[in-house]
């Protein structure tokens, strides 16, 4: 726990953690790994530094290193690019710019021809890629890149979301709307109507391995591309478009990647395509590994949002109507912003049944980095907004926040705002069990006692739920392939369309193959993910890859088992190796391609507002207690208790790690990670010295995670549920606990407990929100 001594930093004690999960049935075979806490397959290698990533590939003879030349203007015409000084640097071999792209010059996932691979006549954000310098070493390439002189003709720029809103700078074709019921009548007749607004700031992906690519040219236009990407098919098709080559010439490979969180889907194109163009131009292997600074300047992150709301409710706290306008900072290009906006709208109901709703969403154009997919995909912004609204409602009515949440919650048999039925009571169980495991009722009283006895230290407590819809609501994305190869010595090589990026996908897929083939895990090996093994794979994203790839692996393994079944029956006491050898001698195929797509794919039509947004929900609840220093704005998370419903866990060790990691990343989003730009649109928080992610002292001092027991999911692999993204939403409990603590200080100061707090709740925002005489005096002096 933490001390309450006045002055100085909040002192944390020794950390305390617990992880609770359901053990497998006693009757399950000991060799069956499903449901067991199996260690991540590359844990040892990653701990010792032996795990291989893109930049660990040994350089080939004559390999060239590529360095980026980035725009220094937010919006400008490119008058000229002078490369003479750069090309005269010893060791510089060549360069690539837009004129070297033999095929299409532009790409886009949502909007065709959205963004230049390499800027030609115009740049639209500070950090946009203009050209690349190729040299015999990375250091030489970067030195030369800094010598490139670009002459600009500046154009008007929009450098903030607020400015975009004021100027109505919208991508109009992506404006979204959703209506349910009659909000106007509800507002007219309600006992209480209030409105407000809040911003939710952006967030950098800050993965351990930056954007990276090694492209190796082969014969007949072939390229082997080793790309740190979670979307191999996207990279392949972008390179195909840029080089005007067929897809069968371009192979994308990855053994593993060092984190992604959504940032290595569309945005990896900014490295893979220039590298491929350079390899084709020079006939040499080309390596492009960004620094953290370059990565953060070139690529976008989580979308900042401004959310304006109006709420109607009864005197007892039942929400009658909700009206919200969402303003999303898409950045300089559309990228993948429209579906993120739509999913933010879909998350605004949270876990609450609201009969009358009117939502509008605006996709805003600014001259900042194009924002993109990020873990949670719009849900974190919508979730923290509705939970803040519910907390404000409780404060205005002087009701316990948990009571207000419970009386508004969906119940079994209800249908969500986007037509997905609530088919079990997992939400109610998560809330009840989280309240019990956290001793919520007693701790409310303890927090009140602490706050009465401490003037400048305050504690806050919040218990918040989450709801996350799975799988994809776009039918074509719900498919996966796998390939199982059995060799004559009995060893098995497994591959599939999903990318290992630290989340334990390879480990879980090996577990699936182990169960289906009835083999020990040691017999099964996964070498890499490649477009040469599984074509047209959906991106590893959306908390759905274990579900889809797992079913594809299961399908392939079942094919192998059926082929070997006659040999098992003929020699039931023989070994696996014997069955395999016999089948081989009988010319039985020992390789199998598996495929999966759900029997029923639910889709939602956002234009007609019909259909169903997904198949099932992941629910969870978290209770967090924080302590703030009202004089400095510092905060510490004293304790967090999480109850998470993920169905029947395939691997509790990995899944609990995902819960903990997602939650802490959410704490960064809601409390400390802040983006700051200069008046020229340059990202100032573009390295570890200025951009702060959660560290050891920022995680809860006591951290308890439990997986909901006796849960399941009939439609997915072994009754599991997706786990990668949903727990991030539970970090809203920390944000609201901070707001609760600030409110207690404001009440003691004689100020209203109803106030605006934007995310992230940084030290500065906490200090200013406390609103004491020192803050008032500072404001007067500033005026």
């Amino acid at each position: 726990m933490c001390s309450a001594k006045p002055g100085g930093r909040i002192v944390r004690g020794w950390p305390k953690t617990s992880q609770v999960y359901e053990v497998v049935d006693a009757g399950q075979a000991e060799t069956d790994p499903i449901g067991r806490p199996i260690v991540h397959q590359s844990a040892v290698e990653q701990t010792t530094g032996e795990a291989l990533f893109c930049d660990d590939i040994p350089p080939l003879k004559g390999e060239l290193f590529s360095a980026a030349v980035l725009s220094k203007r937010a919006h400008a015409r490119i008058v000229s690019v002078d490369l003479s000084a750069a090309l005269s640097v010893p060791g510089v071999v060549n360069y690539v710019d837009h004129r070297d792209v033999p095929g299409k010059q532009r790409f886009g996932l949502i909007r065709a021809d959205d963004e230049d691979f390499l800027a030609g006549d115009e740049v639209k954000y500070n950090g946009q890629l203009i050209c690349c310098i190729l040299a015999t070493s990375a250091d030489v390439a970067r030195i030369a890149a800094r010598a490139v002189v670009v002459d600009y003709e500046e154009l008007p720029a929009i450098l903030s979301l607020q400015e975009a809103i004021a100027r109505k700078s919208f991508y109009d074709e992506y404006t979204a709307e959703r209506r349910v019921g009659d909000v106007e009548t509800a507002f007219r007749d309600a006992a209480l109507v209030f409105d407000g607004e809040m911003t939710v700031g952006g967030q950098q992906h800050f993965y351990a391995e930056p954007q990276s690519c090694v492209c190796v040219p082969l014969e007949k236009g072939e390229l082997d591309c080793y790309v740190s990407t979670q979307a191999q098919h996207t990279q392949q098709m972008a390179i195909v478009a840029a080089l005007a080559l067929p897809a069968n010439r371009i192979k994308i490979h990855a053994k593993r990647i060092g984190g992604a969180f959504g940032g290595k889907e569309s945005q990896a194109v900014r490295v893979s395509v220039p590298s491929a163009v350079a390899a084709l131009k020079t006939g040499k292997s080309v390596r492009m590994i960004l620094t953290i600074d370059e990565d953060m300047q070139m690529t976008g992150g989580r979308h900042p949002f401004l959310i304006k709301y109006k709420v109607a409710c009864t005197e007892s706290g039942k929400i009658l109507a909700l009206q919200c306008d969402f303003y999303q900072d898409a950045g300089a290009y559309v990228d993948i912003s429209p579906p993120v906006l739509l999913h933010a709208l879909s998350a605004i109901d949270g876990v609450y049944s609201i009969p009358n709703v009117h939502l509008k969403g605006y996709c805003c154009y600014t001259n900042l980095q194009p924002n993109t997919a990020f873990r949670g995909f719009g849900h974190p912004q919508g979730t923290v907004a509705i939970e803040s609204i519910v907390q404000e409602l409780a404060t205005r009515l002087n009701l316990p926040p948990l009571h207000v949440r419970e009386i508004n919650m969906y119940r079994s048999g209800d249908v969500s705002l986007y037509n997905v039925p609530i088919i079990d009571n997992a939400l109610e169980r998560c809330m009840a069990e989280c309240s019990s495991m956290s001793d919520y009722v007693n701790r409310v009283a303890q927090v009140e006692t602490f706050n009465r006895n401490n003037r400048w230290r305050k504690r806050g407590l919040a218990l918040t739920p989450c709801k996350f819809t799975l799988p994809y609501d776009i039918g074509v994305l719900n498919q996966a392939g796998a390939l199982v190869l059995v060799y004559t010595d009995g060893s098995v090589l497994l591959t599939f369309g999903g990318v290992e990026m630290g989340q334990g996908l390879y480990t879980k897929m090996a577990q699936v193959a182990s169960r289906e083939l009835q083999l020990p895990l040691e017999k099964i090996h996964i070498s890499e993910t490649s477009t040469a093994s599984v074509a047209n794979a959906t991106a590893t994203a959306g908390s759905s890859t274990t579900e889809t790839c797992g079913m594809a692996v299961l399908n392939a393994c079942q094919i192998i088992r059926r082929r070997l079944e006659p040999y098992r029956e003929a020699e039931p006491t023989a070994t696996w190796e014997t069955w395999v050898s016999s089948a081989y001698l009988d010319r039985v195929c020992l390789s199998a391609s598996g495929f999966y797509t759900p029997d029923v794919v639910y889709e939602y039509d956002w234009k007609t507002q019909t259909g169903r947004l997904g198949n099932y929900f992941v629910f969870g609840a978290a209770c967090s207690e924080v302590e703030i220093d009202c004089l400095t704005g510092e905060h510490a998370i004293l304790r967090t208790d999480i109850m998470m419903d993920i169905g029947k866990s395939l691997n509790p060790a990995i899944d609990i790690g995902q819960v903990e990691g997602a939650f802490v990343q959410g704490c960064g989003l809601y409390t400390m990670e802040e983006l700051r730009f200069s008046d020229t649109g340059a990202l100032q928080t573009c390295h570890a010295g200025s951009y702060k992610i959660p560290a050891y002292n920022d995680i809860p001092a006591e951290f308890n995670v439990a997986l909901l027991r006796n849960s399941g999911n009939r439609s997915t692999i072994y009754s599991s549920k997706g786990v990668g993204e949903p727990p991030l939403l539970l970090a809203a409990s920390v944000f609201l606990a901070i707001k609760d603590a600030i409110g207690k200080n404001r009440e003691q100061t004689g100020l209203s407990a109803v106030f605006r707090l934007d995310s992230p709740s940084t030290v500065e925002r906490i200090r200013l929100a406390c609103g004491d005489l020192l803050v008032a005096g500072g404001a007067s002096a500033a005026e």
Side-chain angles (χ1 to χ4, degrees):
M1 297 295 285
C2 304
S3 77
K5 293 187 294 185
R9 295 181 61 84
I10 300 174
V11 180
R12 294 162 50 96
W14 287 102
K16 178 181 178 182
T17 66
S18 68
Q19 296 85 28
V20 180
Y21 58 90
E22 194 170 10
V23 298
V24 299
D25 294 337
Q28 181 171 322
E30 290 189 8
T31 54
D32 182 353
I34 294 297
R36 301 185 190 276
I38 305 296
V39 175
H40 192 295
Q41 284 199 335
S42 61
V44 173
E45 290 80 6
Q46 288 180 231
T47 302
T48 59
E50 297 172 279
L52 299 178
F53 295 89
C54 188
D55 201 26
D56 294 313
I57 300 171
L60 296 177
K61 182 179 180 181
E63 184 167 285
L64 299 177
F65 296 79
S66 178
V69 176
L70 305 180
S71 167
K72 300 301 181 185
R73 300 291 186 274
H75 191 201
R77 289 190 184 90
I78 297 176
V79 177
S80 65
V81 179
D82 184 357
L83 297 162
S84 57
L87 295 176
S88 67
V89 174
V92 171
V93 175
N94 215 320
Y95 72 94
V96 291
D97 64 15
H98 69 283
R99 295 168 294 182
D100 296 305
V101 180
K104 292 188 66 174
Q105 294 281 335
R106 302 172 72 83
F107 71 101
L109 283 183
I110 304 298
R111 187 169 73 172
D113 300 329
D114 182 37
E115 179 177 354
D116 294 315
F117 290 120
L118 293 145
D121 299 326
E122 183 181 1
V123 290
K124 290 189 175 182
Y125 68 95
N126 196 316
Q128 185 168 358
L129 181 62
I130 296 174
C131 62
C132 296
I133 300 297
L134 309 176
T136 54
S137 76
D139 288 342
V140 169
R142 286 198 171 91
I143 290 170
R146 290 194 288 270
V148 174
V149 178
V150 182
D151 185 20
Y152 303 95
E153 178 188 334
E154 295 210 37
L155 298 171
I158 299 172
L159 299 180
S160 72
L161 179 57
Q162 290 71 20
E163 185 181 355
I165 296 168
R167 294 173 59 175
K168 293 185 171 13
S169 175
F170 306 141
Y171 295 104
D172 289 323
E173 64 268 39
Y174 300 114
T175 298
E177 189 169 14
R178 172 70 166 152
R179 283 182 181 270
V180 174
D182 182 357
V183 295
E184 289 78 11
T185 300
F187 287 135
R188 186 189 65 211
D189 298 339
L192 173 65
V193 177
F194 63 92
D195 57 23
E197 62 182 54
M198 72 174 294
T199 59
V200 184
Q203 185 179 27
Q204 284 286 338
H205 297 94
F206 214 88
Y207 22 66
E209 178 192 28
Q211 301 279 0
S212 306
C213 180
V214 177
C215 281
V216 181
L218 305 172
E219 63 182 18
K220 296 182 179 179
E222 287 183 280
L223 280 178
D224 269 352
C225 302
Y226 300 85
V227 188
S228 182
T229 179
Q230 62 194 101
Q232 291 191 340
H233 180 60
T234 299
Q235 306 311 308
Q236 181 188 36
M237 299 317 293
I239 293 171
V240 162
L243 300 189
L245 290 171
N248 61 9
R249 301 292 202 280
I250 310 299
K251 299 190 291 292
I252 310 295
H253 305 267
K255 192 171 194 67
R256 65 175 63 82
I257 67 175
F261 311 118
K264 293 179 179 177
E265 291 186 55
S266 59
Q267 307 235 337
V269 168
R270 297 196 177 97
V271 171
S272 64
V273 169
S275 301
V277 171
L280 189 69
K281 177 179 180 178
T282 63
K284 300 286 188 181
S285 173
V286 173
R287 182 178 303 247
M288 188 173 187
I289 313 293
L290 300 185
T291 64
I292 291 177
D293 296 43
E294 291 167 342
D295 195 320
M296 294 175 76
Q297 292 175 65
M298 284 176 65
T299 65
R302 192 185 299 281
H303 294 80
F305 271 77
L306 171 65
I307 301 170
K308 298 182 178 182
Y309 57 86
K310 183 177 180 181
V311 183
C313 64
T314 66
E315 292 180 346
S316 62
K318 187 74 178 72
I319 301 174
L320 300 175
L322 173 65
Q323 180 175 299
C324 282
D325 289 336
F326 292 74
Y327 298 92
Q328 172 205 47
D329 186 348
Y333 296 99
V334 169
D335 196 271
I336 206 166
S337 298
V340 174
L341 174 62
L342 297 173
H343 281 268
L345 266 66
S346 78
I348 195 60
D349 62 333
V351 302
Y352 307 112
S353 178
I354 306 173
N356 304 289
V357 176
H358 182 202
L359 311 175
K360 288 202 75 173
Y362 301 89
C363 188
C364 300
Y365 165 82
T366 62
N367 293 108
L368 301 173
Q369 284 88 347
N371 289 308
T372 190
F374 201 131
R375 193 179 199 170
F377 206 77
H379 284 77
Q381 295 95 328
T383 297
V384 76
I386 187 60
E387 293 302 332
S388 296
I389 289 168
V390 172
Q391 190 105 336
E392 180 179 342
L393 187 158
T395 302
R396 287 178 178 275
L397 294 174
N398 196 27
L399 294 171
L402 183 58
H403 168 74
V404 174
R405 289 188 166 91
E406 289 175 338
I407 66 171
N408 284 287
M409 237 166 41
Y410 284 121
R411 308 294 175 190
S412 296
D414 288 346
V415 177
S416 75
L417 180 61
Y418 286 84
N419 306 327
V420 183
I422 313 294
I423 60 174
D424 57 31
N425 64 345
L427 171 59
E428 298 162 67
R429 289 176 57 210
C430 281
M431 290 290 282
E433 294 194 28
C434 182
S435 178
S436 175
M437 72 183 283
S438 65
D439 194 22
Y440 178 80
V441 174
N442 288 330
R443 285 173 59 208
V444 167
Q446 293 168 10
V447 166
E448 289 175 354
T449 300
F450 178 92
N451 288 337
R452 280 196 303 270
N453 295 332
N454 292 272
R455 178 62 188 93
W456 300 113
R457 291 283 174 87
K458 298 298 178 187
R459 291 184 178 177
L461 187 69
L463 196 162
T464 64
C466 77
K467 168 179 65 65
F468 197 95
T469 314
L470 289 172
Y472 292 109
D473 62 301
I474 301 173
V476 68
L477 300 180
N478 292 292
Q479 59 174 299
L483 180 64
V484 175
L485 306 175
V486 182
Y487 296 96
T488 53
D489 66 350
S491 63
V492 177
L493 182 64
L494 174 63
T495 187
F496 40 86
V499 176
E500 174 61 54
M501 46 193 183
Q503 83 280 40
L505 180 65
Y506 281 10
T507 306
K508 287 184 175 181
M509 295 304 97
Q511 289 178 263
V512 172
S514 173
R515 167 178 275 192
E516 293 304 318
L517 296 175
Q518 298 177 7
L519 285 177
L521 283 167
E522 293 74 22
K523 284 280 188 183
I524 299 162
H525 180 63
I526 304 170
S527 177
E528 68 167 5
T529 303
S530 171
T531 57
S533 301
V534 175
N536 313 320
T538 298
T540 303
S543 302
S544 299
T545 307
T546 293
E547 173 183 335
T548 54
C549 285
M551 294 295 274
V553 168
L554 182 146
N555 177 233
C557 289
Q558 288 178 340
I559 294 170
I560 294 290
R561 279 191 63 185
R562 285 196 295 270
R563 291 174 183 168
L564 294 178
E565 196 60 33
Y567 304 95
R568 289 176 182 267
E569 293 176 353
E571 297 182 87
T573 60
T575 63
W576 164 264
E577 289 79 6
T578 299
W579 300 326
V580 167
S581 179
S582 298
Y584 169 72
L585 293 172
D586 284 347
R587 300 181 302 281
V588 173
C589 180
L590 293 174
S591 63
S593 177
F595 183 76
Y596 169 74
T597 188
D599 293 333
V600 179
V601 176
Y602 294 102
E603 294 186 277
Y604 187 83
D605 188 321
W606 296 89
K607 291 183 179 179
T608 64
Q609 301 187 27
T610 58
R612 172 170 158 174
L613 186 67
N615 186 11
Y616 68 90
F617 290 121
V618 176
F619 294 111
C623 177
S624 293
E625 182 179 348
V626 304
E627 181 176 321
I628 67 169
D629 186 323
C630 302
L631 296 179
T632 66
E634 180 187 8
H635 83 274
I637 309 172
L638 307 188
R639 175 175 168 179
T640 292
D641 298 87
I642 294 176
M643 178 60 66
M644 201 76 211
D645 166 36
I646 58 168
K648 293 189 180 299
S649 172
L650 301 184
N651 187 323
I654 285 176
D655 287 341
I656 289 174
Q658 286 290 292
V659 173
E660 293 171 338
F663 178 84
V664 172
Q665 191 170 47
C667 291
L669 166 66
Y670 293 138
T671 70
M672 60 191 303
E673 297 182 44
E674 188 174 27
L675 304 176
R676 295 189 175 182
F677 295 87
S678 72
D679 55 8
T680 62
L683 180 65
Q684 295 178 311
T685 49
C686 60
H687 49 76
S690 58
Y691 185 80
K692 299 301 182 182
I693 65 172
Y696 171 80
N697 279 338
D698 301 305
I699 65 175
E702 182 176 346
F703 200 0
N704 305 307
V705 176
L707 304 182
L708 188 68
R709 303 183 185 201
N710 301 315
S711 180
N713 184 21
R714 292 186 298 273
S715 62
T716 56
I717 182 77
Y718 304 140
S719 297
S720 62
K721 290 185 177 183
V723 67
E725 295 168 284
L728 189 147
L729 313 183
L730 295 175
S733 63
V734 173
F735 178 81
L736 292 168
I738 290 172
K739 191 170 185 179
D740 180 47
I742 295 170
K744 296 300 189 294
N745 181 75
R746 290 173 63 91
E747 288 178 345
Q748 195 166 352
T749 307
L751 299 173
S752 172
V754 175
F755 61 99
R756 174 175 171 172
L757 182 64
D758 292 329
S759 170
S761 55
T762 58
V763 168
E764 296 91 340
R765 284 184 173 144
I766 293 173
R767 178 67 190 93
L768 292 171
C770 284
D772 50 58
L773 293 176
L774 291 176
V775 172
S780 299
E783 291 174 1

